[in-house]
């Protein structure tokens, strides 16, 4: 279907509440999903939780709960955060969901078996529970996983393996030719460099120890699916693979998988190989964003340097958070974040920049115009032409375009001095103020994907010809 747009976030581990890094991933997806809806596309925006993992079992045990009780609680918190952040997801998938997720995950497994790509082997390796991945000695720093600062566990067991090595040339070809597009180019290069070394097959199951938590391997309940094999399949199970062929056909292949750079290999190597083995189309694009760092290190639960989004949202509001993530964090590079940098950006660009502009223009309009300015939406949309930015997934530049527009209105007000003109020549002054109100409407439209509530509020003020009862963004000291 030409008009559909299927975009996914990674599914989040519900072993703890989400932090700013996770909020980043889903907020940029939301912005792109909203933009595409405004373009008239039939958008399906998927997010969810990655539950069948050792991390979850450990956290649940520590909390004295069963994994399901525990994840029910954490997933509720995820959903509350998404609601508060105004995330417009269409579907939330849980990998513990036996009706929605399991049929697809099992069907995919069976297809891999049918293709002759699953075999059993005894294996001994060093497993990082942070990455949920076996590590090679050479990847460790001082015996620890450098990403999580954890000593990996030595695991020896008999597992089912997936013949990843068979797909080396296939993957190179698809990625090189951009049939599977990895963006930005630096990440594509990184994957191709990884693919220049011989690929090893991967262990795709774990032996059940104690109580079973996870998807049992068809015909062998002594093993459950390896979390990444299970998790990746959410992208197809959610939209009906294994249970609703019609919806699946409507939305697959995904237009965008959006991920952080830490999970690039799973998405750009494991996932396309699995799909091809199962005779399925590859996703069109994988967009890889950088990491939010704090004190120079990736913000992560395991490292203990996280900022809880509510710490900032309670003080500054969700719209400010959306602004900050879109504009003040590079869409492709790592970006450090502190509470100070948040406050500075808020004061400079929201309290002063946007907030001031709205107050200024609407005050003039309220005082001088007899009736609200009539806006013919269709005539002006889309005035801020950032579509090409969205084509490149450049969220930061797209919102920069809006702020450039704000700046240009500011300077036009300085030059035109409508507040003076209206005193000297009432008619001309009024016309100029009307023009500025229209310009402000264009700003409101431009803001729609980024700050939907602010956009609505500005439109309301224009429609009612009112200045804000109180500043849109109060200055913080
Ligand atoms: N469960 C896996 C994904 C499976 S997808 C089939 C996972 N979960 S996660 O909860 O650890 O991370 C989810 C997303 O949040 C990933 O895209 C990850 O890159 C992102 N982030 C986690 N920490 C982050 C930062 N500090 N900064 C930016 N994004 C970060 O991985």
């Amino acid at each position: 279907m030409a008009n559909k747009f299927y975009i996914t976030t990674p599914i989040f581990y519900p072993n703890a509440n989400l932090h700013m890094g996770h909020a980043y991933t889903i907020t940029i997806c939301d912005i792109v999903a909203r933009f595409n809806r405004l373009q008239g596309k039939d958008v399906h925006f998927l997010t969810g939780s990655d539950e069948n993992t050792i991390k979850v079992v450990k956290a649940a045990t520590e909390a004295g709960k069963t994994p399901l009780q525990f994840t029910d609680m954490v997933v509720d918190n995820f959903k509350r955060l998404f609601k508060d952040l105004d995330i417009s997801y269409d579907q939330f998938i849980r990998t513990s969901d036996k009706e929605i997720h399991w049929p697809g995950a099992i069907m995919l497994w069976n297809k891999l078996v049918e293709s002759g790509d699953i075999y059993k082997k005894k294996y001994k390796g060093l497993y990082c529970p942070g990455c949920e991945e076996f590590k090679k000695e050479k990847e460790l720093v001082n015996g620890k996983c450098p990403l999580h600062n954890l000593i990996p566990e030595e695991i020896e067991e008999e597992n089912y393996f997936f013949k990843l090595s068979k797909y080396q040339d296939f993957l190179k070809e698809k990625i090189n030719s951009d049939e599977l597009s990895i963006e930005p180019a630096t990440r594509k290069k990184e994957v191709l460099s990884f693919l220049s070394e011989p690929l090893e097959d991967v262990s795709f199951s774990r032996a059940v120890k104690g109580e079973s938590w996870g998807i049992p391997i068809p015909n062998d309940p002594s093993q459950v699916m390896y979390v990444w094999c299970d998790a990746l399949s959410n992208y197809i199970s959610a939209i009906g693979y294994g249970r609703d062929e019609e919806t699946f056909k409507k939305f697959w292949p995904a237009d965008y998988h959006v991920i952080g750079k830490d999970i690039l290999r799973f998405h750009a190597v494991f996932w396309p190989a699995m799909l091809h083995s199962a005779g399925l189309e590859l996703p069109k694009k994988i967009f890889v964003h950088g990491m939010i760092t704090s004190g120079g290190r990736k913000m992560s639960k395991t490292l203990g340097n996280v900022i809880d989004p509510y710490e900032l949202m309670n003080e500054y509001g969700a719209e400010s958070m959306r602004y900050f993530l879109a504009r003040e964090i590079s869409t492709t590079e790592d970006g450090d974040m502190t509470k100070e940098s948040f406050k500075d950006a808020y004061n400079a660009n929201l309290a002063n920049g946007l907030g001031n502009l709205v107050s200024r223009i609407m005050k003039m309009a309220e005082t001088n115009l007899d009736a609200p300015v009539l806006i013919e939406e269709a005539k002006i949309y889309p005035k801020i032409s950032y579509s090409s930015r969205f084509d490149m997934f450049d969220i930061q530049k797209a919102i920069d375009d809006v702020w450039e527009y704000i700046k240009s209105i500011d300077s036009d007000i300085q030059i035109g001095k409508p507040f003076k003109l209206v005193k000297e020549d009432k008619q001309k002054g009024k016309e100029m103020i009307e023009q500025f109100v229209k310009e402000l409407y264009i700003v409101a439209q431009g803001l729609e994907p980024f700050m939907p509530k602010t956009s609505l509020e500005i439109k309301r003020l224009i429609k009612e010809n009112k200045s804000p009862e109180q500043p849109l963004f109060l200055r913080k000291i």
Side-chain angles (χ1 to χ4, degrees), residues 9-15 18-26 49-51 53 55 78 130-131 148 227-228 230-235 258-263 266-267 289-294 297-301 305 335:
T9 72
I11 47 174
F12 301 92
Y13 290 128
N15 57 327
L18 300 177
H19 59 65
M20 287 303 312
H22 307 117
Y24 182 74
T25 301
I26 195 155
S49 53
D50 188 356
E51 309 196 6
T53 145
K55 293 181 209 254
F78 284 9
C131 300
H148 294 94
V227 60
W228 274 101
D230 159 349
L232 288 161
S233 68
N234 92 88
Y235 298 132
V258 178
I259 58 166
K261 65 175 187 181
D262 54 334
I263 54 175
F266 301 108
H267 283 79
H289 63 76
M291 290 289 119
I292 297 193
T293 56
S294 170
R297 299 198 70 173
K298 176 192 165 189
M299 194 180 282
S300 120
K301 291 177 278 219
N305 60 348

Side-chain angles (χ1 to χ4, degrees), residues 7 30 43 197 218 256 330 359 393 419:
I7 183 166
D30 183 64
V43 172
E197 302 274 326
Y256 264 115
S330 154
S359 295
F393 215 100
F419 38 89

Side-chain angles (χ1 to χ4, degrees), residues 38 319 323 349-350 353-359 361 375 377 380-386 398-410 412-413 435-459 462 472-473:
L38 287 165
E319 292 280 286
Y323 163 82
N349 300 315
L350 294 177
L354 176 63
N356 260 356
L357 184 78
V358 175
S359 295
I361 294 181
I375 306 283
E377 178 119 7
I380 56 173
Y381 189 77
K383 188 66 186 278
I384 300 178
S385 52
Y386 49 33
I399 191 169
D400 269 348
D401 288 347
V402 181
W403 254 262
E404 281 304 314
Y405 204 80
I406 292 175
K407 268 194 212 146
S408 75
I409 304 176
D410 262 334
D412 287 350
I413 295 179
Q435 189 50 38
F436 281 119
V437 173
K438 285 184 184 159
E439 300 281 333
L440 186 63
Y441 195 88
I442 290 167
V443 171
Q445 268 189 336
L447 284 174
E448 221 170 319
F450 306 97
M451 302 170 74
K453 291 224 164 78
T454 307
S455 165
L456 266 181
E457 176 61 3
I458 300 174
K459 287 184 182 174
I462 293 176
L472 253 43
F473 302 95

